[in-house]
Amino acid sequence: MSPAGCSHVNSFKADNWKQSLRVIYQCFVWSGTAESRKRKAKSCICHMCGAHLNRLHSCLYCVFFGCFTKKHIHEHAKSKRHNLGVGEKYSTWEPTKRELELLRHNPKRRKITTNCTIGLRGLINLGNTCFMNCIVQALTHTPLLRDFFLSDRHKCEMQSPNCCLVCEMSRLFQEFYSGYRSPHIPYRLLHLVWTHARHLAGYEQQDAHEFLIAALDVLHRHCKGDDNGKKASNPNHCNCIIDQIFTGGLQSDVTCQVCHGVSTTIDPFWDISLDLPGSSTPFWPLSPGSDGNVVNGESHMSSGTTTLTDCLRRFTRPEHLGSSAKIKCSGCHSYQESTKQLTMKKLPIVACFHLKRFEHSAKLRRKITTYVSFPLELDMTPFMASSKESRMNGQYQQPVDSLNNDNKILCEQHRLREMHLVCMCGHDIITGKQPNHKYSLFAVVNHQGTLESGHYTSFIRQHKDQWFKCDDAIITKASIKDVLDSEGYLLFYHKQFLEYE
């Protein structure tokens, strides 16, 4: 597409184009009443073959529905020169022969209700393995990871499937969602962890964060045989299910203090480790000029309680590297002092925040018990690299909206599902889609005790606003207050897939 965009869209926008989209939405998309649902069902058929399916698209110039799959909408566009059509973006699914066979042999279905406990299952402690059990609970309640494994997407290409951690995770998901209530014994998982992450072998208590990173690393390496596990165009990036869900991009900007030239690098990350007040690393003040603005409904200046937002603001503040860490500036061609700032270039679907409660140094080994308040919903917009650039240009507004208002297809009274605008000349245009930087909390890992003697537990969200505490083999119902009042060691947030506010 040229920088000016599709010529058909530009000419269409010169007319009363919003009204056409509004009529299509009100008559054929929104089904708020029984009468409107009947009208939609009768009206939404291909005018050439009478089919209801095959990715129906509506012409934006006249009252016409046509199949996208059979190219009837294309034929209409060619004959009438009505080049623009709109339809709902979706991915089709058809069961394979194997899946049909399984459905025939397993006719019994389980109904998932809001009070359903399927997916809740305790794990036997095999000797100081609470660090592993709490991470397994968090992973098995990660929505997209659950969907991947329960749809049998993993295709193992290892010589021995018994050595594949992804195969074992697949079996774990089957166990968790089988409906059995007795605690599961994860001895195979423990054996594979000892085999592939030897630094975690043995019956000593291990760090849950260290186990999480080791597990993601092994899963990432064993996923290479998946359909989506082949290397992407970037040789340093894999498109396996682990990378799709957990990998983000961290942007590091190093600015020369003499010529103000900026050197930028982007590195992948699976989690963000955050310093806490009380550690040997100074926490306050924040970056120069910080005014304590409210972010995520919080202000670090309003109370003595440290918040997750405070930790993120500290993480993304500019840091003066000092005279002992001079860099060679490509602009000055000499070593100069500089500042470094970290921001989020790309957000992962699941954001994991590691609160650095265990401090290890030559002089000190201790646990930091500082309480950190964390929200149920988190907006990462202020910590994005794009937000930093907007602030530098004097254009930053909250929330960020990177789209021109003329390209929004919005209904004033209702949330509109994502509409897929297609030009029959070949251009594919998504409209009405805003950057989504908002997250919802779905799992919390806690550590009780001291650095030498402690115990890990976790809170997991089963349904919206339904929380449970997982303490090895014991699962008990928990309140939102229990979750938010907990100390917090690892915080798991899942991206909100809401098209509109």
Side-chain angles (χ1 to χ4, degrees):
M1 184 183 294
S2 67
C6 175
S7 59
H8 300 116
V9 173
N10 293 333
S11 60
F12 182 66
K13 286 166 63 176
D15 300 323
N16 192 19
W17 65 285
K18 289 185 180 180
Q19 183 60 32
S20 301
L21 292 172
R22 196 171 284 115
V23 169
I24 291 172
Y25 173 70
Q26 291 173 346
C27 295
F28 303 110
V29 178
W30 181 65
S31 300
T33 65
E35 183 61 32
S36 64
R37 283 192 290 272
K38 290 179 182 178
R39 184 176 67 245
K40 175 184 174 182
K42 292 178 180 178
S43 304
C44 294
I45 61 172
C46 177
H47 289 183
M48 296 185 72
C49 68
H52 286 271
L53 302 176
N54 295 324
R55 297 185 61 192
L56 279 181
H57 278 63
S58 172
C59 177
L60 289 180
Y61 298 87
C62 66
V63 181
F64 179 87
F65 286 94
C67 299
F68 192 90
T69 305
K70 294 183 179 179
K71 296 191 179 300
H72 290 157
I73 188 68
H74 298 76
E75 294 175 16
H76 172 78
K78 186 177 181 180
S79 61
K80 300 291 185 179
R81 294 188 178 182
H82 293 174
N83 293 290
L84 292 176
V86 65
E88 185 178 359
K89 187 180 182 183
Y90 68 102
S91 299
T92 59
W93 172 84
E94 292 184 5
T96 63
K97 290 182 179 180
R98 180 171 177 270
E99 288 168 340
L100 288 172
E101 192 68 21
L102 287 171
L103 290 171
R104 278 193 289 267
H105 285 84
N106 298 275
K108 187 177 179 180
R109 302 287 180 268
R110 294 190 179 275
K111 185 178 180 181
I112 306 299
T113 64
T114 55
N115 296 320
C116 181
T117 58
I118 292 178
L120 292 173
R121 195 168 183 184
L123 292 166
I124 297 294
N125 192 315
L126 301 176
N128 286 327
T129 58
C130 56
F131 71 93
M132 177 181 75
N133 290 348
C134 65
I135 297 300
V136 170
Q137 293 287 359
L139 293 178
T140 52
H141 287 87
T142 301
L144 286 185
L145 202 61
R146 174 198 62 206
D147 296 346
F148 175 83
F149 281 110
L150 292 184
S151 60
D152 198 24
R153 295 283 300 281
H154 173 58
K155 297 177 177 60
C156 184
E157 292 188 0
M158 297 187 67
Q159 292 182 351
S160 174
N162 292 329
C163 295
C164 178
L165 186 62
V166 189
C167 290
E168 180 55 30
M169 282 299 297
S170 183
R171 283 189 285 266
L172 264 179
F173 274 90
Q174 297 294 335
E175 289 287 347
F176 266 72
Y177 290 89
S178 64
Y180 292 117
R181 296 189 177 185
S182 58
H184 178 67
I185 307 174
Y187 66 93
R188 288 195 189 93
L189 177 66
L190 183 63
H191 171 72
L192 286 172
V193 170
W194 287 0
T195 301
H196 299 291
R198 295 189 179 277
H199 63 289
L200 297 175
Y203 289 101
E204 295 181 356
Q205 179 65 276
Q206 303 289 347
D207 181 20
H209 173 249
E210 191 173 358
F211 175 81
L212 169 66
I213 298 304
L216 291 179
D217 178 61
V218 176
L219 288 169
H220 161 74
R221 288 189 279 115
H222 290 188
C223 270
K224 295 296 180 69
D226 293 342
D227 287 339
N228 291 327
K230 297 177 176 60
K231 291 290 184 71
S233 56
N234 182 351
N236 297 319
H237 179 68
C238 167
N239 199 34
C240 71
I241 188 63
I242 299 301
D243 271 322
Q244 289 183 53
I245 295 176
F246 294 96
T247 300
L250 188 65
Q251 179 169 315
S252 174
D253 294 317
V254 178
T255 305
C256 174
Q257 293 299 285
V258 177
C259 71
H260 302 292
V262 180
S263 173
T264 299
T265 57
I266 299 173
D267 296 308
F269 69 88
W270 279 333
D271 73 316
I272 297 293
S273 293
L274 301 171
D275 289 318
L276 302 179
S279 67
S280 58
T281 304
F283 191 82
W284 303 117
L286 286 174
S287 57
S290 175
D291 55 2
N293 289 337
V294 174
V295 181
N296 288 312
E298 305 166 344
S299 172
H300 78 274
M301 300 295 286
S302 60
S303 69
T305 302
T306 302
T307 67
L308 177 61
T309 299
D310 292 336
C311 298
L312 285 166
R313 293 173 78 165
R314 185 191 184 282
F315 181 80
T316 56
R317 69 176 180 178
E319 176 188 3
H320 184 66
L321 298 182
S323 58
S324 60
K326 290 184 177 181
I327 62 162
K328 188 169 184 179
C329 176
S330 58
C332 300
H333 303 291
S334 61
Y335 287 91
Q336 304 288 354
E337 291 189 21
S338 60
T339 59
K340 178 180 178 181
Q341 185 173 14
L342 300 175
T343 51
M344 310 296 166
K345 178 65 175 179
K346 173 184 175 292
L347 289 173
I349 293 176
V350 169
C352 175
F353 300 104
H354 166 225
L355 305 183
K356 296 163 70 172
R357 296 199 173 276
F358 303 128
E359 188 169 32
H360 303 272
S361 64
K363 298 180 180 180
L364 196 62
R365 291 183 73 254
R366 62 174 181 142
K367 179 184 175 183
I368 301 169
T369 58
T370 305
Y371 173 69
V372 176
S373 172
F374 49 89
L376 286 174
E377 295 187 350
L378 177 69
D379 187 357
M380 290 292 290
T381 301
F383 314 110
M384 297 297 296
S386 57
S387 298
K388 174 193 170 186
E389 293 165 2
S390 297
R391 282 193 297 269
M392 292 176 65
N393 295 329
Q395 299 172 345
Y396 178 75
Q397 293 181 348
Q398 179 95 5
V400 172
D401 180 1
S402 64
L403 293 180
N404 186 290
N405 288 332
D406 287 343
N407 283 338
K408 294 179 185 175
I409 306 174
L410 298 175
C411 173
E412 289 80 1
Q413 297 179 354
H414 309 283
R415 286 181 178 177
L416 174 59
R417 291 175 294 173
E418 180 181 338
M419 298 302 290
H420 196 204
L421 182 61
V422 178
C423 181
M424 298 310 150
C425 67
H427 289 146
D428 198 24
I429 309 131
I430 298 292
T431 61
K433 183 78 170 177
Q434 298 185 35
N436 186 359
H437 302 148
K438 294 187 177 180
Y439 287 80
S440 294
L441 184 72
F442 74 92
V444 178
V445 171
N446 287 297
H447 179 271
Q448 292 85 36
T450 63
L451 201 152
E452 291 76 21
S453 176
H455 179 62
Y456 287 101
T457 60
S458 60
F459 289 105
I460 57 95
R461 190 184 66 191
Q462 173 74 349
H463 300 288
K464 184 174 176 61
D465 297 332
Q466 290 194 14
W467 288 85
F468 291 86
K469 182 178 180 180
C470 304
D471 187 349
D472 288 332
I474 302 173
I475 309 290
T476 54
K477 196 169 180 61
S479 67
I480 294 177
K481 186 177 185 300
D482 294 332
V483 178
L484 298 182
D485 286 348
S486 64
E487 190 176 77
Y489 179 50
L490 298 172
L491 309 175
F492 293 85
Y493 285 84
H494 196 287
K495 210 167 193 181
Q496 294 179 357
F497 291 100
L498 299 177
E499 285 79 10
Y500 300 100
E501 303 299 334

